[in-house]
Amino acid sequence: MENTPSIGKPISRLEGQLKVTGSAKYAGEYYAEDLLYGYVVNSTITKGKIKSIDTSEVKKMSGVIEVFTHENKPSTAWFDFRYADMDAPPGTVFKPLKDNDIRYNGQPIALVVADTFEMARYAATKISIVYEEESFETDLKTNVEKQRDPKKGLASMLKPPPPPPNGDFEKEYQNSYVKTDSKFTHGTEHHNPMEMYASTVIYEGKGKLKIYDKTQGTINSQMYVANVFGLKMKNVQVISPFVGGGFGSGLRPQHQLFMAVMASLALKRNVRVTLDRAQMYMIGHRPPTLQHTKFGADQNGKVNAIYHKATGETSRFEDYVEIVVNWANMLYPAENTLLQHQIVPLDVYTPLDMRAPGGSTGMHPIEVTMDEIAYQLNMDPVELRLNNYSMIDKSSDKEYSSKELKECFLQGAEKFGWDKRNPVPRSMKRGNKLIGYGMATGMWDANRIFGRAEAIMTADGKVEIKSAVTDIGTGTFTIMTQIAADELGLPIEDVTFSYADSKLPFAPIQGGSFTTATVGPAVQNACQALNKKLFKLAKNLKDSVLKDAKFKDVNFKNGLITLRSNPEISMSVKDIIDANEGKAIKTTNSAMPNPLTYGKKARAVHSAVFVEVEVDEELGMIEVKRAVTAVAAGKIINPKTAESQVLGGMVWGISKALHEETILDHQFGKYMNANLGEYHIPVHADIQDLEVIFVEENDQFVNDLGVKGVGEIGGVGIPPAITNAVFHATGKRIYDLPIHFDKLL
């Protein structure tokens, strides 16, 4: 039976049944004999010192094995943590239990280890701690004068600083036909994945550990553990096949991993440490950011002057930055720009990448500012963007490798029914509800980095592909299997994908929408190399029908090697394996961008978002009734999993615009709503008609597969589109996110 290509087919997740039946095991669910449980104790002050920490009575409790504090913490290698973590920003990485200094509220200050989780948690409440408190600063708005330029470091490779000023912004701005001058804010957000952070450490003796960790990078966690604890890399194995949501919170090793490994090595026992929901608010967040935009444009709406400044928070010990202000000049080719990004060190934990870090933050003011220009000119917002359309990234003066954003505008507008919009604010009504239409552009990087994969053909003619990459719920497991099946010419059921194990070939952390573009080409290369080995074996067989053929002359399809010129001439892959005495055929291959050519073009994913909102005229309550996102992201390997990614981003965008915010009480320096009851996220009733369109886009420059990532693009355009729709409905421009109904009363 002929197998058809699987790339481009909406294949359901191969691990879906395991997940929906509860059979999939997560980091805190693995069985280990004689397992001990650790519970983290967190500081209740924001800044100061521990004067004393009395654990004597707790250690006498039945079931308590040990209590670790800064006073009895086992020695570690204290390798510079920053170089043991692929996602660490410049600065000095926080080291749990290093000393008695308190740097932020909720800092881990002890670990209670007991024979049950309940006992460890109870005992943690009985430790007597005396603090010496110091004054602290946690409010970004009242400390803006302390802003400074972030230090440049390793993180800048994937997070470049703003480009230098171009032209004469002030002069061009003052001479512009229309001018905007707006200030924006958004609050703190926390990741809140369903699965909380856990590490189960199996002590195998002689410095060998097997670790089931919740992580977005098994090799990253392996590097961290080996370097911090002075272990050999080969003696540390990290496994993470199923991740119940990460959204960036698993890019860096979290402190439960450190605590579990520390306790396991010290006690020579199996140890599990799990963070509870409140403790999840102490491991990083999307930083609150203040932004200021000033755009100038001519009477046709052509933007000729762009000013965008962002001021975000960071910790006292690390310089966390995002790409916030770079986007405007990448979309709109103004000749005069002034782009600035500052950070303010505060007494908080270091912020952490959260889905579309910087893009979700920066695109909101950019696209709301463009909407302001459209209304000043009485111009359709879509027309305004088409008037500023460019195939050049002006910030780098490079041509885009591909850009089908224009088609996103056209197809998205048609699907949404944008032509039915009455452009006058507050002009459309449905009963007592004001109707608003809003749109915005979305943009995200299309990057790739280094990755490896192994391909093994076994004696039965089936193939196993191996890579250490994780699958954080994006469908990676499924689409890598699809890529391999098509390259090998095998049905998808004859290919297995082994992944999420640090013992497997190298893969980077899974984030930034670069996983498919990084690991996919490595899988492709490994499969092509395997095909070449098979072809060589086939040529060398006695009386081979392919003995005079070249590799470029053959196809691999349906488990056969066939001549392109005459498909009737073929050899069975199974026969070739049998002739090889049933020996497995292996190959391990790498893939990375060509350093000589990769930087010659700009690379990005684009989207156009259209939203309809209803606003209760009397109560100010906002509902998103429907939204359409049209995406241009190169070749779509699996429309089903890709659509799921974009839909998830759209839901999060609705959450960012209308619901989501962590409240910090600056009197105490503490997050006050560290739970899912008071940290508001959308429920089913908040999500109505969402639709995704994938616009055809051919790009052979980004990689041989022609793929770009879709993980981030779904979320970046929704918040400004909602904000613009609220203005159209009410005539009131809101500059702060989330938009609360009281701002419309």
Side-chain angles (χ1 to χ4, degrees):
M1 185 173 125
E2 183 171 330
N3 65 287
T4 58
S6 62
I7 287 180
K9 299 291 192 301
I11 294 171
S12 296
R13 296 169 188 269
L14 299 178
E15 81 286 9
Q17 186 175 7
L18 292 175
K19 288 181 174 178
V20 299
T21 59
S23 302
K25 283 188 178 180
Y26 293 82
E29 297 181 318
Y30 284 89
Y31 171 78
E33 200 168 328
D34 297 323
L35 183 65
L36 299 178
Y37 296 82
Y39 190 84
V40 176
V41 181
N42 304 93
S43 75
T44 57
I45 70 167
T46 300
K47 190 174 183 181
K49 294 185 182 297
I50 300 171
K51 290 183 68 176
S52 66
I53 181 164
D54 186 356
T55 63
S56 57
E57 292 303 311
V58 170
K59 288 184 178 180
K60 296 176 185 176
M61 291 181 177
S62 176
V64 173
I65 306 300
E66 182 59 278
V67 182
F68 294 97
T69 72
H70 68 279
E71 296 177 340
N72 68 334
K73 176 192 63 63
S75 63
T76 55
W78 292 126
F79 180 87
D80 187 333
F81 281 29
R82 180 155 61 97
Y83 301 111
D85 175 3
M86 296 180 193
D87 198 48
T92 303
V93 175
F94 171 72
K95 301 171 181 176
L97 309 187
K98 178 177 182 286
D99 51 36
N100 67 333
D101 287 341
I102 302 298
R103 298 162 179 82
Y104 63 95
N105 199 292
Q107 174 180 315
I109 57 173
L111 179 74
V112 179
V113 181
D115 53 15
T116 66
F117 173 78
E118 291 76 12
M119 189 63 215
R121 181 174 58 183
Y122 171 74
T125 66
K126 299 301 180 181
I127 296 175
S128 178
I129 306 166
V130 179
Y131 297 102
E132 180 182 298
E133 294 193 60
E134 299 174 15
S135 60
F136 55 83
E137 297 166 334
T138 57
D139 191 344
L140 176 64
K141 292 181 180 178
T142 59
N143 287 280
V144 173
E145 76 281 357
K146 296 170 184 173
Q147 62 188 298
R148 58 178 173 77
D149 286 326
K151 298 183 182 75
K152 305 301 183 289
L154 292 177
S156 296
M157 290 190 295
L158 287 176
K159 296 180 179 179
N166 190 40
D168 189 336
F169 165 77
E170 286 295 344
K171 179 181 178 182
E172 193 65 36
Y173 177 73
Q174 293 303 325
N175 293 332
S176 295
Y177 182 77
V178 293
K179 295 189 279 285
T180 67
D181 187 340
S182 305
K183 294 183 178 180
F184 301 79
T185 68
H186 80 71
T188 304
E189 297 172 56
H190 278 82
H191 301 72
N192 276 301
M194 286 293 289
E195 180 200 9
M196 289 170 286
Y197 274 81
S199 299
T200 302
V201 180
I202 310 300
Y203 183 79
E204 297 182 327
K206 298 181 180 179
K208 292 186 69 174
L209 302 175
K210 179 183 288 186
I211 304 168
Y212 298 98
D213 187 36
K214 171 163 179 166
T215 178
Q216 290 176 236
T218 57
I219 289 178
N220 198 34
S221 289
Q222 177 197 33
M223 287 169 48
Y224 175 89
V225 169
N227 286 317
V228 169
F229 291 94
L231 304 175
K232 294 179 179 177
M233 287 278 284
K234 68 178 182 179
N235 287 343
V236 179
Q237 182 180 16
V238 178
I239 300 169
S240 183
F242 302 107
V243 180
F247 315 118
S249 62
L251 293 174
R252 302 189 67 177
Q254 300 296 357
H255 60 251
Q256 96 287 337
L257 175 61
F258 176 92
M259 297 288 203
V261 172
M262 174 193 70
S264 179
L265 291 172
L267 300 172
K268 295 181 170 51
R269 295 280 300 273
N270 302 330
V271 177
R272 174 178 296 152
V273 177
T274 304
L275 302 183
D276 63 26
R277 179 60 61 183
Q279 290 171 329
M280 295 284 285
Y281 287 76
M282 301 165 189
I283 62 173
H285 55 279
R286 194 194 301 275
T289 307
L290 312 176
Q291 298 183 73
H292 186 188
T293 63
K294 294 197 294 184
F295 284 18
D298 65 20
Q299 61 244 36
N300 297 316
K302 186 76 172 64
V303 176
N304 46 38
I306 293 175
Y307 170 78
H308 188 182
K309 180 179 179 179
T311 305
E313 77 173 17
T314 188
S315 65
R316 298 281 188 196
F317 43 90
E318 289 180 304
D319 279 2
Y320 176 81
V321 294
E322 299 178 332
I323 301 175
V324 179
V325 302
N326 304 31
W327 307 101
N329 204 211
M330 296 170 72
L331 270 175
Y332 306 118
E335 299 289 342
N336 305 275
T337 59
L338 180 57
L339 309 173
Q340 300 173 328
H341 190 156
Q342 306 282 306
I343 55 174
V344 176
L346 296 170
D347 296 304
V348 297
Y349 188 58
T350 307
L352 184 62
D353 291 342
M354 180 183 281
R355 196 171 185 178
S360 176
T361 300
M363 289 302 296
H364 173 248
I366 293 166
E367 289 302 290
V368 171
T369 299
M370 290 296 287
D371 203 59
E372 291 184 291
I373 292 174
Y375 277 97
Q376 284 191 42
L377 291 170
N378 196 26
M379 181 180 290
D380 187 302
V382 174
E383 182 185 351
L384 173 69
R385 285 161 175 82
L386 291 174
N387 287 351
N388 284 277
Y389 199 83
S390 174
M391 289 301 294
I392 303 293
D393 166 14
K394 186 60 184 173
S395 69
S396 64
D397 280 327
K398 293 175 183 175
E399 181 185 10
Y400 280 105
S401 60
S402 61
K403 183 180 177 182
E404 293 295 342
L405 176 57
K406 187 176 292 185
E407 275 301 308
C408 291
F409 289 136
L410 299 177
Q411 292 183 33
E414 181 180 7
K415 189 72 176 178
F416 181 82
W418 184 254
D419 59 340
K420 298 177 177 61
R421 164 184 172 268
N422 183 332
V424 179
R426 217 178 175 91
S427 63
M428 298 171 65
K429 292 188 70 174
R430 189 179 294 132
N432 69 328
K433 304 288 181 69
L434 300 169
I435 307 302
Y437 284 7
M439 63 83 55
T441 307
M443 185 179 190
W444 187 253
D445 291 320
N447 283 323
R448 62 178 290 203
I449 49 182
F450 175 80
R452 284 172 67 77
E454 181 179 24
I456 306 170
M457 179 162 279
T458 55
D460 57 2
K462 297 186 178 182
V463 173
E464 182 182 13
I465 307 297
K466 296 183 177 183
S467 171
V469 68
T470 54
D471 184 339
I472 57 175
T474 56
T476 303
F477 174 46
T478 304
I479 64 173
M480 294 303 161
T481 308
Q482 290 178 258
I483 291 168
D486 279 16
E487 285 294 331
L488 296 164
L490 294 174
I492 197 165
E493 56 268 21
D494 284 354
V495 178
T496 58
F497 184 58
S498 298
Y499 67 107
D501 184 335
S502 64
K503 297 281 188 184
L504 301 178
F506 176 86
I509 48 179
Q510 183 171 26
S513 291
F514 55 63
T515 296
T516 304
T518 294
V519 180
V523 170
Q524 183 183 37
N525 288 351
C527 291
Q528 289 175 352
L530 185 63
N531 283 343
K532 288 177 180 176
K533 285 192 172 186
L534 282 167
F535 176 68
K536 186 176 180 181
L537 286 171
K539 278 176 64 77
N540 292 335
L541 290 179
K542 185 179 179 182
D543 300 324
S544 171
V545 296
L546 301 175
K547 64 181 179 181
D548 296 325
K550 293 185 170 68
F551 184 72
K552 62 181 178 62
D553 299 331
V554 299
N555 273 328
F556 289 77
K557 193 172 183 180
N558 305 321
L560 301 172
I561 306 177
T562 63
L563 276 179
R564 292 178 188 269
S565 59
N566 185 0
E568 297 297 319
I569 297 177
S570 66
M571 292 184 70
S572 164
V573 169
K574 185 69 171 61
D575 290 343
I576 298 168
I577 291 288
D578 290 343
N580 196 44
E581 299 176 348
K583 296 175 185 173
I585 303 172
K586 300 181 182 181
T587 180
T588 303
N589 296 81
S590 304
M592 65 180 294
N594 185 334
L596 299 178
T597 60
Y598 196 60
K600 291 186 176 181
K601 291 191 177 184
R603 306 166 306 279
V605 183
H606 296 93
S607 70
V609 181
F610 297 84
V611 167
E612 178 189 321
V613 301
E614 280 187 354
V615 182
D616 189 292
E617 194 167 14
E618 294 178 342
L619 301 178
M621 302 294 288
I622 304 167
E623 276 190 283
V624 175
K625 301 301 291 184
R626 59 193 183 96
V628 174
T629 295
V631 178
K635 181 183 289 185
I636 303 300
I637 301 293
N638 185 324
K640 190 172 188 176
T641 56
E643 180 188 37
S644 177
Q645 283 295 287
V646 177
L647 287 172
M650 293 172 74
V651 171
W652 201 330
I654 293 170
S655 187
K656 181 180 178 67
L658 302 178
H659 301 273
E660 200 162 333
E661 183 179 21
T662 323
I663 306 300
L664 187 66
D665 187 326
H666 300 297
Q667 181 180 349
F668 301 104
K670 179 180 180 180
Y671 295 115
M672 302 307 292
N673 57 330
N675 58 75
L676 286 181
E678 296 169 301
Y679 183 87
H680 295 158
I681 57 176
V683 296
H684 286 298
D686 296 308
I687 304 303
Q688 300 190 40
D689 184 11
L690 305 182
E691 191 164 356
V692 179
I693 299 170
F694 287 114
V695 171
E696 186 174 342
E697 183 175 65
N698 183 33
D699 192 325
Q700 292 304 310
F701 181 84
V702 287
N703 50 67
D704 288 343
L705 287 168
V707 301
K708 302 175 181 179
V710 295
E712 261 83 1
I713 191 64
V716 294
I718 287 281
I722 292 173
T723 305
N724 295 337
V726 169
F727 172 76
H728 179 235
T730 66
K732 188 167 185 178
R733 186 73 70 180
I734 308 296
Y735 296 100
D736 305 325
L737 294 184
I739 302 173
H740 295 302
F741 69 90
D742 58 299
K743 296 173 183 174
L744 296 172
L745 292 179

